[in-house]
Every structure is written in C-alpha cells, then in structure tokens.
Amino acid sequence: MSLSSSPALPPSAALDRPAHRWKVLAVGVAANAAFSAAAAGLPATAVFMRADYRLDNGQLGLALGLLGLGVALFELPWGMLADRWGDRPVLLAGLGATAAALAWMSGYAAPAAGAAPGLGLLALGLVLVGMLGGSVNGASGRAVMAWFDEGERGLAMSIRQTAVPLGGGLGALLLPWLAARAGFGAVFGALALMSAAAALLTACWLREPAQSAAAPAQAGAAPGPLRDARVWRAAAAIGLLCCPQFAVLSFATVFLHDFSGAGIGAMTGVMVAVQLGAMAARVASGRWTDRRGNRRAYLRFCVWLSFLLFAALGAAAWAAGAATPDADGATLLLAILVAAAGICASAWHGVAYTELATLAGAARAGTALGMANSCVYAGLFLTPAAMPHLVAATSWPLAWALAGLCMLAALPLLPRPLARP
C-alpha cells in the first residue's frame, strides 16, 4: 500500500507537509553530496594519489575500490536499520562517524614531510569511511519516498541523486587542487567538514512524516524486499549498470593522462563536465518519466545509448592508437567521448532508484535501496581493482568496449515495460 492511501493527516501536519518536504529533500541532497565528494571525488586525485602514496596502477585501483567495498559490506544493514529506527538517527550517526573517520585520516593517514603512509593504513581509512558513509543512501532515499507522493517521486529522487554528481563534481574541482597545493591532509580535512555540515543540517530539518507510524502495519502483510525476486533482480541490474560509470570516474583521468597526454586542466574539465552533465540529465529524466509514466522503457533506452557511446569511445581510442593523428584533435575527441559516455551512464540513477523503491513499497524502501547500493558499491570495489589488470592484459580500447557490454548485460534483469492501456 502506498503512503498516499494512509489515514488523513491532522490539519497542521497537512499544512506543514508541502513546505517541509523540500527541506527533507535538501537534507538528502546534502548528505549524499558530502559522501559523494569522497566516493566520486577522490578518484579525480588518482594521479596525485599514485605519486604521493608511491603506488603502482594496481595498488591505486585497489585503494580507490576499497571505499566502495566498505559501503558494499554495510549498506544493507544501514538500510534495514533505517526501516526499523527511522531516517534521522541513522543519518546523524552515519554522517557524524564519517566526519570523525575522515578527520582521523587527515591527521594520521596522509603523506607528510615527504613520508608516505603504508598502503595498509590508507586502505583501512578508506574502508572505514565507506562502512560509515553507506548510511546516507538508504536513509535519505527512504525519507524522500515517505515525504513525496507517487506523481513526484521520480523528480524528487532524481534531485536527490543529483547529489552524487554534485558532490563528485565539487570533489573533482576542489580535491585535485588541494592535493597538489596542500596535500592529502587538506583533502581529507575538507571532506570531514562536508560530512559534519550535512550532519548539522540533518539535525535541524529531518524528521519522520506524521503518517509514518502507520507504515509498519501496512508493510507487515507484504513480503519483505529480501524475499522478493523482482527487487533482487532490479538491485543487481543497478549494480551492473554502475560499473561502466565507475570505470569512467576512477580511470578517465589516468586514461586521458597516460593514453592521450592530457594535462590537469583537460582532466579536471572532463570530470567536472561528467558530474554537471549527469546532474542535469538526472533531473530532466525524473521529471520526464513522472509525466509520462515510462520509467522502465527509459531505463532500457539509457542502456542502449550508453552501449553505443562506449563502443564509439573504444573505436576512437583504437583509431588514435593505430594511427598518428593530430595530438590535440585526438585528445579533444577522446575527452568528448569520455564525457558523453560518463554522462549517459549516470543519467538513469534517480529513475532506477524510484522504480526499485516502488517495487519494494515506501515503508521498505530503506532495505531495498540498501540492497541496490550493496550491489553498486561492490561494483565500485571491483571495477577500479580490475581495470588496471584488464588494460594491462588487453588495451584501453577493449576495456571501454567491455564497459559498454556490461551495460547490455543488465538488460535481462531490468523490470519489463508495462503495457499501456
């Protein structure tokens, strides 16, 4: 049963709900942006991390993936806790602990005075940040599902999902500059301040809606998401669809630097373009699918378009490596294709998460979103770890082509479009 069929609200709650729901959405955006600045922003420092921590490409890929491993291990428990305890305590505990972990990394796991901490210390910090920061997705998504009705959830969830490229874009713009000028102590310190600010906003604005007390009774009659094969298939599809996006976010800068000789300005420009383009695409996608009621068909369209763009990127990289074209022209073409593929591989997020939460029911959305993000962040761990070995064993062109095939692999798992009356 949807929340829209709950008992009528008291007059004061009914008057407060339309205005306050946007504050709740702002909390969700702030929480996800703060964590995304670390999860999606740190890969933009890959070249500096490789140099400052004295890593090879394999160690770099492992380090960048460990934050995702931490989220994958604890995302589902966080989502189940959000369904049981509510969104506010989970977000406050998770964001506060994440800020503390990042502050510890700033003081003890950052290179200083020419000495680089061991890979083990860096790995421990990143896993810990992932474990604690995994609280933000399920709790904030559940809050959005509780405060917004069906006809506007796609837009609301897509706005919330813009926090991922918003935070990633902010991280891509700020963190490489901080890493080059002030070192990784400043990088982790800035991320700690972002998480602390999001926790403060949560304390001020987030609360349960008045009708949420009825939700557990309504949800009790239906099987939980953990026993629903449709939810598992959709969650697995979301995880697969994120792998090509993570390939772009984690190694686009390395690809552009090593393969085409791009400078820091070009690399930063591409990563910021990917994040800002993804923000715009997610909001437009949510609004468009809310109006047309075609979330499932839209997801399939994104899969096919992303496949074509990654195939074009692979072909362009092969042509650039096989011939000797004008260096500036080749670099520009590859940068455009990387940005386009990254944007398209990110545009579907809000629509997919809305469809998943709708399948599970709003009262169980925290668990369902936790299932999806466990799959997503397992991909965030495996993709950066596998990418250097794949490139070393084959080539960059084949690696990008395989990223496109990964998109197609998710098609059988996506919910089929509903027949229109």
Side-chain angles (χ1 to χ4, degrees), residues 232-245:
W232 274 114
R233 286 196 299 269
I238 289 173
L240 272 174
L241 291 176
C242 282
C243 289
Q245 174 193 349

Side-chain angles (χ1 to χ4, degrees), residues 75-126:
E75 175 75 25
L76 180 55
W78 279 121
M80 295 173 71
L81 285 175
D83 284 342
R84 184 176 182 84
W85 293 347
D87 314 315
R88 178 185 171 88
V90 169
L91 271 181
L92 284 175
L95 287 168
T98 302
L102 286 164
W104 172 82
M105 290 190 72
S106 176
Y108 298 99
L119 178 60
L121 196 61
L122 174 64
L124 173 64
L126 291 174

Side-chain angles (χ1 to χ4, degrees), residues 127-165:
V127 169
L128 186 62
V129 169
M131 290 166 53
L132 299 170
S135 60
V136 304
N137 181 68
S140 63
R142 183 181 180 276
V144 169
M145 292 294 292
W147 280 88
F148 287 82
D149 295 322
E150 173 60 28
E152 54 192 9
R153 283 175 180 164
L155 174 62
M157 193 72 84
S158 293
I159 292 174
R160 187 200 71 131
Q161 285 300 114
T162 63
V164 178

Side-chain angles (χ1 to χ4, degrees), residues 3-4 6-10 13 17 146-147 149 208-216 218:
L3 292 177
S4 60
S6 301
L9 299 179
R17 179 183 174 89
W147 280 88
D149 295 322
E208 293 284 332
Q211 78 272 34
S212 63
Q218 297 166 357

